[in-house]
């Protein structure tokens, strides 16, 4: 980070930390969903998204603070963004149990 000023370095650190947080959130969300939900929604498999988001999380972790892989952070955030904007809403609609939004004790 020697080519950046102190303020730019702080902004870069915050942005790379945010990218890492988004990638990890997407990864954890994908791993919590049942594999059948991905098939039901007509999306790629849970294994595919787990691997893709795991690699994205690793790349964004390596780039924290400007570690030379900044161009790969863009790809990592795009992968997480596609999951969060397209796949997550589709797999959330899968009726695989739970209270279904009716509270912790189910419907009355």
């Amino acid at each position: 980070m020697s080519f950046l000023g102190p303020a730019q370095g702080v902004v870069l650190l915050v942005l790379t930390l945010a990218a890492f947080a988004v990638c990890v959130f997407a990864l954890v969300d994908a791993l919590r969903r049942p594999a059948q939900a991905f098939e039901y929604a007509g999306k790629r498999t849970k294994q595919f998204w787990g691997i893709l988001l795991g690699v994205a999380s690793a790349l964004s972790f390596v780039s924290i603070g400007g570690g030379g892989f900044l161009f790969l952070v863009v790809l990592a955030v795009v992968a997480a963004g596609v999951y969060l904007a397209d796949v997550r809403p589709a797999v959330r609609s899968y009726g695989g149990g739970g209270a279904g939004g009716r509270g912790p004790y189910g419907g009355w």
Side-chain angles (χ1 to χ4, degrees):
M1 259 195 308
S2 63
F3 62 92
L4 298 175
Q8 290 172 328
V10 170
V11 170
L12 183 63
L13 178 64
V14 169
L15 288 175
T16 54
L17 284 172
F20 177 64
V22 167
C23 290
V24 169
F25 174 77
L27 174 64
V28 169
D29 186 77
L31 294 177
R32 291 183 59 215
R33 305 286 172 196
Q36 296 84 9
F38 292 86
E39 294 174 18
Y40 173 79
K43 302 297 179 184
R44 295 254 187 173
T45 64
K46 178 179 181 174
Q47 181 180 9
F48 171 83
W49 284 107
I51 291 170
L52 182 67
L53 294 170
V55 169
S57 297
L59 289 175
S60 60
F61 176 75
V62 169
S63 70
I64 291 177
F69 294 104
L70 292 177
F71 66 98
L72 295 175
V73 175
V74 175
L75 297 176
V77 170
V78 166
V82 167
Y83 174 80
L84 292 173
D86 181 42
V87 179
R88 184 176 188 244
V91 297
R92 284 179 77 182
S93 66
Y94 178 71
R102 297 174 296 204
Y105 304 108
W108 290 88

